[in-house]
Amino acid sequence: MDFLLLLIVGITGIAALAFAFISYVRIDMFRVDNERVSELSHIIHRGAMAFLYREYKWLLPFLLIVGVLLWIKIGGAAGFSFIIGGLCSAAAGYAGMVVATKSNGKTAFAATRGMNEALTMAFKGGSVMGMSVVGIGVLGILFCYALFEDPTLITSFGMGASSIALFARVGGGIYTKAADVGADLVGKVEAGIPEDDPRNPAVIADNVGDNVGDIAGMGADLFESYVNSIIAAMAIGLAVFGSKGVVFPLVLAAVGILSAIAGTTFVKVKDGGSASVALRTGTFVTGGIMIGGAFLVTLAMFREFALFWSVVSGVGVGVLIGFVTEIYTSGDYASVKHIAESSKTGPATVILAGMAVGMKSTVIPVLLICAATLISYYFSGLYGIACAAVGMLSITGMALSVDAYGPIADNAGGIAEMSHLPKEVRKITDKLDAIGNTTAAMGKGLAIGSAALTALALFAAYAHSVKLTAIDLNDPKVMVGLFLGGMLPFLFSSMSIQAVGRAAEAMIDEVRRQFKEIPGIMEGTGKPEYEKCVDISTAAALKEMIIPGLLAVLSPVVVGFVLGAQALGGLLGGSIVTGVMLAIFMSNAGGAWDNAKKYIEEGNFGGKGTPEHAAAVVGDTVGDPFKDTAGPSLNILIKLMSVVALVLAPLFV
Amino acid sequence: MDFLLLLIVGITGIAALAFAFISYVRIDMFRVDNERVSELSHIIHRGAMAFLYREYKWLLPFLLIVGVLLWIKIGGAAGFSFIIGGLCSAAAGYAGMVVATKSNGKTAFAATRGMNEALTMAFKGGSVMGMSVVGIGVLGILFCYALFEDPTLITSFGMGASSIALFARVGGGIYTKAADVGADLVGKVEAGIPEDDPRNPAVIADNVGDNVGDIAGMGADLFESYVNSIIAAMAIGLAVFGSKGVVFPLVLAAVGILSAIAGTTFVKVKDGGSASVALRTGTFVTGGIMIGGAFLVTLAMFREFALFWSVVSGVGVGVLIGFVTEIYTSGDYASVKHIAESSKTGPATVILAGMAVGMKSTVIPVLLICAATLISYYFSGLYGIACAAVGMLSITGMALSVDAYGPIADNAGGIAEMSHLPKEVRKITDKLDAIGNTTAAMGKGLAIGSAALTALALFAAYAHSVKLTAIDLNDPKVMVGLFLGGMLPFLFSSMSIQAVGRAAEAMIDEVRRQFKEIPGIMEGTGKPEYEKCVDISTAAALKEMIIPGLLAVLSPVVVGFVLGAQALGGLLGGSIVTGVMLAIFMSNAGGAWDNAKKYIEEGNFGGKGTPEHAAAVVGDTVGDPFKDTAGPSLNILIKLMSVVALVLAPLFV
């Protein structure tokens, strides 16, 4: 029975990959009949690949060294699974990036034929990332589980995935913002040329950055949540229900994959229809099928519903957090309008209003996470919490497809602009891009919510594995751990904000240099050296993620050895709590500032060129590293620290 | 023996009050031979008193109602001690404010006679607050203990003090920033008149605000820490050492009072000497005598040194946190210079640099707090942690004197300006004011550090009193408590930032109205209606603190009843951790922005009137509610929630 189920799970994983491959082939077959578009897409593609190659060149030795260390200290299964986990994440990221950076130009060209063609192309491009993540995730776990037959031995699979995610998220976040700030500040502000202007040397790095940060970074983030939640559930499930408890999370994941495949077929838009409705329909269909499937699977496997309610609480909270994120960060709602209005009294009040909104926006997500925790625990204990996380992440295939669609549409807009495609085309890509901003909010909410639940599941698995009877806050060592853990997200955020600043400065200097030294660059006769800018972002991203990375990996080790397993539990608790708060705060404040600026640009409170707009731009600039670097990096920090603790737990017992 | 010791403690408390009274008499006897100075001082005094009266008019019924509720639900001792605690805090605040607002004009006038006269006057004024707090604090506790003879019955004394502190800190913080922003934005920016110009209708409210926020608010904050740490130590001490454990914290406090009295005699400056050295000498002498005294007292009472090391760890960390605060917020060090330099690229980078500095500045204070926790626990268990807090706060008499000196000197400068005293006088008051900024950093560090240790001591007392064997993070209810507790400081900060914004807006409207409607106001012939502005700040402060106050008081009650005593422990743990982080972050970011602006005003990076300066002003404006409202309010939040839990503990068992 179990074997049969695992076989079906495996086939589902292969189906996901097959789906991704078919999408890729169909994208590849689409001919772009415009040399400039092809060329630009190709340059962006090359820049993104250059980043990935250099990142992976660093990561491979890292994976091997840590893998060998784990092998020696913990055991062969741990070392091997760690390396496989890292490779799987890298593979998923690679596949997604290759296709995403190929489909941006095709989306731009498809837009010449109409909305539906462009939407289909961009969404197909995104779905390769979505399906690769879930397919490779499930198959990788299955593979390791088949080899070692004990989920507690393969927790390091998730640690490998987390390591890659750290580099992808932190490095990607630094990359994208350095390029963005450099391109904007020198190009738009100093030289007065429009956004996405080909004369700007940093424009390619900027477009590459969208892929690196929002596709590779987000993909690695969700891959990490996905596999960690499944493995944590398997580990706890083994103790509670035996092998049935191990298989159930995998079956849930399989149901999620099938739901996502079904959901994608609903992403279509007729002439005059709304692309945003199409994406939403796809998401809801996926969620609906998932809930129905979870019901049947739970009934069939357990002959009762308790676990079903745990799973539903996870799915529900995942969706609701996305909506709450939208309410606090979209220009359609009061919070963003309030920030926009505060631009009347200058940049300081814009900042204060945004900070207040960001801080307030932690309340409902926290209540939702608490509700999911209590509900799932009430019905099925700690296993229920882990299954809630799996449930929330089961729709990753669909959610990530929708999310990765955004940067592709954004890139398509840039390419359309740079290759002077007709205005109607730009209109279509603009529309697709605008929808991408909304879906990004949903994706970010899911990423944070799932990071929180996954970290809680890992925490539970950790406590379980070190066989602690209690992680007792009365013990001052635990309280000290809690304080240290609570401090780390602040230190981590401070470092990533400063890293962006340093990298952006280097970029600014380079762009200024090119404007000065390359003859004819402003007239369009001299060719900017795009590669140099790509190089600066790449080098900065790789350099700047070393210390934060070490901090994340070593803190649990040091605290575990010096203060013991209980204090390490405190460290995790503290880091999860402040990490989640800061992540929500920074992501939402950043998103709200961004959209407050856009709201003013739409003509409210004076529109472009007014002091109000200038004040809103200050907010947006502050928000950029908040929402695209520091905030998302915290998702990784809390999961990585938890999984490091879980994997190394045997050393602290 | 115990009785004798308590008698000595009581006499020491009376000595503190006598010292304060003598200072008052000597200030009162000093004649100000300048009508304008007297009048201005009098107006400020009246404004401050008006605020206190209206605040107390609300607080008295609040104290009575809650006191009666406690009487019914917990017991007579709890209800009575609560009311006494509240009244004691109010009395200390009243005494300090009366004298501070009388000594500002006298300091301005004394400055016509030289540096030492002015310093002596300002410091004497501050020392009334310092000595009133410790004297009334010790005597109040002694009185309740004498009545009920069991420290666990009088924990509500601290809760009463906390309630007053909440109103003083949150209300005071809103008051002072609303007035400050209103005065600056309309006066300096719109009308182009200098700071402290008597034509500005909000100028008096601004000066009143300095007293309300920095003297009454800070005094109530430290009073709360002071009495809560002593009572928590008494309660834990009873369980560990019997009556000796109850008496020891009080004896420590008495030693602290005597040290402070001795220390004040060292605050003198000769011609050409440095006032800052004088204040520092006084502080160090106090600390030195305190440590020596603690050594003797510990040896005499316990015949061993273990507790001495706990006390020393508290004293040491209190002083060190102050220094760290200075390093991150003073223009003499790299952090502030870095922020100032980032003004070259505009306001956004100033904000980001300040945020990064603020976040990073959490690291060392957290490490210090952890060190004090571990050291004091290692030597003497939970009692050691409580005694470390008492040790840190034993120098309150001196620290608060130095701290309250700052706003007095600041006010004196304003009065000198408004009454057109000679330039040399203004030079002296400026110097005293500048020193006040440094001492304020030390005071803020102590306030946060002591809030953290006091909250930890209260937490320990809480866990002790509900007889929980463990507050177990493995229990999802505790984890949910931790999340909710971690979220509250974010919500609380968001509310106080927005409250400042609303109050400032009302103030701006009023100042604009007066400029428009009062004939001759700009020529100095029409008299501005100062009282209206004082009124607006007062009303706003009182209104805006109701909801945050309820939030702080009710959250522990709701969580305790709904989720139980363990989850309430989690709530406290979460609120302490994120509360301390956010408080340090916001206070230090705000302080650093403030001094970065001043650093530029000294002529660096272009000086006043440049775009760099304008960018730094944005940072300063953002920092104002951070450092003077939201940050300090969190000190109160975490202590208040902890003491509410401790007092209501019997209901949750």
Side-chain angles (χ1 to χ4, degrees):
Chain A
M1 171 70 181
D2 284 351
F3 177 74
L4 186 67
L5 282 173
L6 290 178
L7 192 67
I8 296 174
V9 171
I11 293 171
T12 320
I14 292 169
L17 291 184
F19 185 91
F21 185 71
I22 294 170
S23 296
Y24 165 67
V25 170
R26 286 171 67 180
I27 293 168
D28 201 48
M29 275 165 51
F30 183 85
R31 288 280 124 231
V32 172
D33 203 11
N34 181 315
E35 208 173 300
R36 181 86 182 128
V37 169
S38 295
E39 192 202 336
L40 284 168
S41 172
H42 190 62
I43 297 178
I44 295 173
H45 176 72
R46 242 179 23 216
M49 289 301 122
F51 175 73
L52 278 193
Y53 285 131
R54 277 178 66 176
E55 185 186 319
Y56 290 170
K57 215 166 65 186
W58 276 95
L59 283 177
L60 211 64
F62 172 83
L63 281 180
L64 286 176
I65 292 169
V66 176
V68 169
L69 281 176
L70 286 177
W71 196 301
I72 296 167
K73 285 282 176 190
I74 313 281
F80 184 79
S81 304
F82 174 80
I83 294 173
I84 298 295
L87 292 178
C88 282
S89 174
Y94 182 81
M97 282 286 277
V98 164
V99 180
T101 53
K102 285 200 167 184
S103 46
N104 49 17
K106 309 211 174 196
T107 301
F109 190 73
T112 59
R113 303 202 189 151
M115 187 71 158
N116 191 36
E117 276 75 8
L119 170 70
T120 307
M121 187 57 67
F123 181 71
K124 239 187 236 321
S127 71
V128 173
M129 185 49 130
M131 291 303 173
S132 299
V133 161
V134 293
I136 295 179
V138 161
L139 291 175
I141 295 173
L142 264 189
F143 174 65
C144 288
Y145 180 58
L147 274 183
F148 303 109
E149 294 182 347
D150 180 349
T152 59
L153 294 178
I154 63 167
T155 50
S156 57
F157 182 91
M159 182 175 157
S162 289
S163 308
I164 300 291
L166 179 82
F167 289 92
R169 255 302 192 202
V170 181
I174 294 168
Y175 187 114
T176 180
K177 283 306 116 183
D180 189 17
V181 172
D184 275 13
L185 215 78
V186 188
K188 273 208 298 203
V189 181
E190 290 183 12
I193 57 179
E195 198 165 337
D196 289 331
D197 190 297
R199 289 172 292 177
N200 191 331
V203 74
I204 295 295
D206 191 9
N207 276 285
V208 171
D210 290 342
N211 292 293
V212 166
D214 291 345
I215 297 186
M218 178 64 102
D221 190 345
L222 284 182
F223 184 86
E224 181 196 9
S225 282
Y226 190 70
V227 299
N228 272 314
S229 67
I230 294 174
I231 294 175
M234 289 166 71
I236 302 173
L238 177 66
V240 184
F241 289 108
S243 77
K244 195 159 66 171
V246 177
V247 174
F248 181 65
L250 285 165
V251 173
L252 277 182
V255 174
I257 290 176
L258 296 175
S259 318
I261 292 177
T264 54
T265 61
F266 285 80
V267 182
K268 267 180 198 139
V269 58
K270 283 187 196 141
D271 281 341
S274 153
S276 128
V277 170
L279 289 170
R280 204 161 285 198
T281 308
T283 309
F284 278 124
V285 168
T286 305
I289 299 180
M290 172 67 210
I291 288 177
F295 180 84
L296 296 176
V297 165
T298 314
L299 190 61
M301 287 183 72
F302 292 90
R303 319 243 163 241
E304 48 120 4
F305 301 127
L307 270 167
F308 170 70
W309 295 117
S310 301
V311 174
V312 168
S313 75
V315 178
V317 166
V319 173
L320 287 176
I321 287 187
F323 280 117
V324 173
T325 309
E326 208 189 323
I327 286 173
Y328 282 111
T329 60
S330 149
D332 297 338
Y333 298 94
S335 292
V336 168
K337 285 180 188 163
H338 167 67
I339 296 175
E341 193 180 348
S342 66
S343 69
K344 289 199 268 182
T345 35
T349 42
V350 169
I351 299 293
L352 285 171
M355 304 279 295
V357 166
M359 287 179 162
K360 202 169 56 183
S361 76
T362 59
V363 177
I364 298 176
V366 165
L367 293 179
L368 288 171
I369 291 168
C370 290
T373 306
L374 289 177
I375 292 171
S376 56
Y377 181 73
Y378 172 79
F379 281 106
S380 335
L382 290 180
Y383 187 54
I385 295 179
C387 285
V390 175
M392 185 188 274
L393 284 153
S394 61
I395 57 165
T396 296
M398 185 67 193
L400 188 52
S401 302
V402 173
D403 202 80
Y405 143 93
I408 295 175
D410 187 4
N411 261 227
I415 291 174
E417 178 80 30
M418 288 191 270
S419 44
H420 311 294
L421 292 183
K423 253 198 188 157
E424 310 87 66
V425 173
R426 184 72 223 219
K427 237 185 201 162
I428 289 178
T429 57
D430 275 357
K431 219 176 212 171
L432 291 179
D433 188 15
I435 295 160
N437 284 329
T438 309
T439 58
M442 304 281 294
K444 271 179 192 167
L446 179 68
I448 295 174
S450 72
L453 270 193
T454 302
L456 287 177
L458 289 169
F459 179 85
Y462 165 75
H464 211 279
S465 104
V466 287
K467 293 185 180 52
L468 288 175
T469 47
I471 297 174
D472 183 4
L473 281 180
N474 280 335
D475 178 347
K477 280 187 191 170
V478 175
M479 195 49 110
V480 164
L482 198 74
F483 262 88
L484 294 175
M487 173 265 282
L488 284 176
F490 281 85
L491 174 58
F492 204 74
S493 304
S494 168
M495 288 201 287
S496 54
I497 290 173
Q498 289 189 314
V500 169
R502 276 191 297 267
E505 238 164 74
M507 184 66 81
I508 288 170
D509 287 344
E510 172 63 18
V511 177
R512 282 186 184 151
R513 186 194 67 76
Q514 292 200 23
F515 273 139
K516 219 171 63 185
E517 297 182 2
I518 298 178
I521 188 169
M522 288 306 284
E523 293 74 37
T525 54
K527 220 181 156 197
E529 298 165 0
Y530 298 130
E531 295 75 17
K532 286 237 167 111
C533 291
V534 169
D535 224 52
I536 285 175
S537 255
T538 307
L542 294 171
K543 197 184 82 184
E544 297 283 3
M545 64 190 166
I546 294 173
I547 294 179
L550 287 177
L551 188 74
V553 175
L554 292 183
S555 319
V557 180
V558 171
V559 169
F561 275 119
V562 176
L563 295 175
Q566 276 218 39
L568 176 52
L571 183 84
L572 299 183
S575 70
I576 295 172
V577 169
T578 59
V580 169
M581 302 301 153
L582 272 183
I584 300 174
F585 157 53
M586 292 202 283
S587 292
N588 289 353
W593 277 317
D594 185 3
N595 284 322
K597 185 196 70 173
K598 287 187 178 137
Y599 185 74
I600 291 180
E601 286 174 353
E602 284 163 14
N604 300 293
F605 302 113
K608 268 192 179 183
T610 56
E612 283 77 11
H613 183 242
V617 168
V618 172
D620 183 39
T621 313
V622 171
D624 264 348
F626 269 42
K627 73 179 198 302
D628 293 324
T629 313
S633 297
L634 293 175
N635 298 347
I636 315 291
L637 177 74
I638 61 178
K639 286 179 287 186
L640 180 58
M641 282 176 58
S642 302
V643 74
V644 167
L646 173 59
V647 170
L648 301 187
L651 300 180
F652 307 134
V653 180
Chain B
M1 171 72 180
D2 283 352
F3 177 74
L4 186 66
L5 284 172
L6 291 178
L7 192 68
I8 296 174
V9 171
I11 292 170
T12 322
I14 292 169
L17 291 184
F19 185 92
F21 185 72
I22 293 169
S23 297
Y24 164 68
V25 171
R26 286 171 67 180
I27 293 167
D28 201 49
M29 276 165 53
F30 183 86
R31 286 281 126 232
V32 172
D33 202 12
N34 182 317
E35 208 172 300
R36 181 88 181 129
V37 170
S38 293
E39 191 202 337
L40 285 167
S41 172
H42 190 62
I43 297 178
I44 295 173
H45 176 72
R46 240 176 26 215
M49 290 303 121
F51 174 72
L52 278 193
Y53 284 131
R54 276 178 65 175
E55 185 187 319
Y56 290 171
K57 213 166 67 188
W58 276 94
L59 282 176
L60 212 63
F62 171 83
L63 281 179
L64 287 176
I65 292 169
V66 176
V68 170
L69 282 176
L70 286 176
W71 196 301
I72 296 167
K73 284 281 175 190
I74 313 281
F80 184 78
S81 302
F82 174 81
I83 295 173
I84 298 295
L87 292 179
C88 281
S89 174
Y94 181 81
M97 282 285 277
V98 166
V99 180
T101 52
K102 286 201 167 186
S103 46
N104 49 17
K106 308 211 175 197
T107 301
F109 190 73
T112 59
R113 302 199 189 154
M115 187 71 156
N116 190 37
E117 275 74 8
L119 170 70
T120 308
M121 188 58 65
F123 181 71
K124 240 187 236 321
S127 70
V128 173
M129 184 50 129
M131 292 302 173
S132 300
V133 161
V134 293
I136 295 179
V138 161
L139 291 174
I141 296 173
L142 264 188
F143 174 66
C144 289
Y145 180 60
L147 274 182
F148 304 108
E149 294 181 347
D150 180 350
T152 59
L153 293 179
I154 62 167
T155 50
S156 57
F157 182 91
M159 183 175 157
S162 290
S163 308
I164 300 290
L166 179 83
F167 289 92
R169 255 299 193 206
V170 181
I174 294 167
Y175 187 113
T176 179
K177 285 306 116 182
D180 190 17
V181 172
D184 276 13
L185 215 81
V186 188
K188 274 208 296 201
V189 181
E190 290 183 11
I193 57 179
E195 200 166 335
D196 289 331
D197 191 298
R199 289 170 293 176
N200 192 330
V203 72
I204 296 295
D206 191 10
N207 276 284
V208 171
D210 291 342
N211 292 294
V212 166
D214 292 345
I215 297 187
M218 179 64 104
D221 189 344
L222 284 181
F223 185 87
E224 181 196 9
S225 283
Y226 190 72
V227 300
N228 272 313
S229 67
I230 293 174
I231 294 174
M234 288 166 73
I236 301 174
L238 177 67
V240 184
F241 289 107
S243 77
K244 195 159 65 172
V246 178
V247 174
F248 181 65
L250 286 166
V251 173
L252 276 183
V255 174
I257 290 176
L258 296 176
S259 318
I261 292 177
T264 52
T265 61
F266 285 80
V267 181
K268 267 180 197 139
V269 57
K270 284 188 195 139
D271 280 341
S274 154
S276 125
V277 170
L279 289 170
R280 202 161 285 197
T281 308
T283 308
F284 278 126
V285 168
T286 305
I289 299 179
M290 172 65 210
I291 288 179
F295 180 84
L296 295 176
V297 166
T298 314
L299 190 63
M301 287 183 71
F302 293 90
R303 320 242 163 241
E304 47 117 7
F305 301 126
L307 269 168
F308 170 68
W309 297 116
S310 302
V311 174
V312 168
S313 75
V315 178
V317 166
V319 174
L320 287 176
I321 288 186
F323 280 118
V324 173
T325 309
E326 207 189 323
I327 285 173
Y328 282 109
T329 59
S330 150
D332 297 338
Y333 299 95
S335 293
V336 169
K337 286 180 187 163
H338 168 66
I339 297 174
E341 193 180 349
S342 65
S343 69
K344 290 199 267 182
T345 36
T349 41
V350 169
I351 299 293
L352 285 171
M355 304 279 296
V357 165
M359 288 179 162
K360 203 169 56 180
S361 75
T362 59
V363 178
I364 298 178
V366 165
L367 293 179
L368 287 171
I369 291 168
C370 289
T373 307
L374 290 177
I375 291 172
S376 56
Y377 181 72
Y378 173 79
F379 281 106
S380 335
L382 289 179
Y383 187 54
I385 295 178
C387 285
V390 175
M392 186 188 271
L393 284 153
S394 61
I395 56 164
T396 296
M398 185 67 192
L400 188 53
S401 302
V402 173
D403 202 80
Y405 144 92
I408 294 175
D410 188 3
N411 261 227
I415 291 175
E417 178 80 29
M418 286 190 271
S419 45
H420 311 295
L421 291 184
K423 254 199 184 153
E424 310 88 66
V425 173
R426 183 75 225 216
K427 235 184 204 164
I428 289 178
T429 57
D430 274 357
K431 218 175 212 169
L432 292 179
D433 187 16
I435 296 162
N437 284 327
T438 309
T439 58
M442 305 280 295
K444 270 179 192 166
L446 179 68
I448 296 174
S450 72
L453 271 192
T454 302
L456 287 177
L458 289 169
F459 180 84
Y462 165 75
H464 211 280
S465 104
V466 286
K467 293 185 181 50
L468 288 176
T469 48
I471 296 173
D472 184 4
L473 282 180
N474 280 335
D475 178 346
K477 279 189 192 167
V478 175
M479 195 49 111
V480 163
L482 199 73
F483 262 89
L484 294 175
M487 172 266 282
L488 285 176
F490 281 85
L491 175 57
F492 203 74
S493 302
S494 169
M495 288 200 286
S496 54
I497 290 173
Q498 289 188 314
V500 170
R502 276 190 297 267
E505 239 164 71
M507 184 66 82
I508 288 170
D509 287 344
E510 171 64 18
V511 177
R512 281 185 185 150
R513 185 195 66 77
Q514 292 200 24
F515 275 140
K516 217 172 63 186
E517 296 182 4
I518 298 178
I521 186 170
M522 288 306 283
E523 294 72 35
T525 53
K527 221 182 155 194
E529 298 164 0
Y530 299 130
E531 295 74 18
K532 287 237 165 110
C533 291
V534 169
D535 224 52
I536 285 175
S537 255
T538 306
L542 294 172
K543 197 184 81 185
E544 297 282 3
M545 63 189 168
I546 294 173
I547 294 178
L550 287 177
L551 187 74
V553 176
L554 292 183
S555 320
V557 179
V558 172
V559 169
F561 275 118
V562 175
L563 295 174
Q566 275 217 41
L568 177 52
L571 183 85
L572 299 183
S575 70
I576 295 173
V577 169
T578 59
V580 169
M581 301 301 154
L582 271 184
I584 299 176
F585 158 53
M586 293 202 281
S587 292
N588 288 352
W593 277 317
D594 185 4
N595 284 322
K597 185 196 70 173
K598 287 187 178 136
Y599 185 73
I600 291 180
E601 286 174 352
E602 285 162 13
N604 301 292
F605 303 113
K608 269 192 177 180
T610 58
E612 283 77 10
H613 183 243
V617 168
V618 172
D620 183 39
T621 312
V622 171
D624 264 349
F626 269 42
K627 72 178 200 300
D628 294 323
T629 312
S633 297
L634 292 175
N635 297 346
I636 315 291
L637 176 74
I638 60 177
K639 286 178 287 186
L640 179 57
M641 283 176 56
S642 302
V643 74
V644 168
L646 173 60
V647 170
L648 301 187
L651 300 179
F652 309 133
V653 179

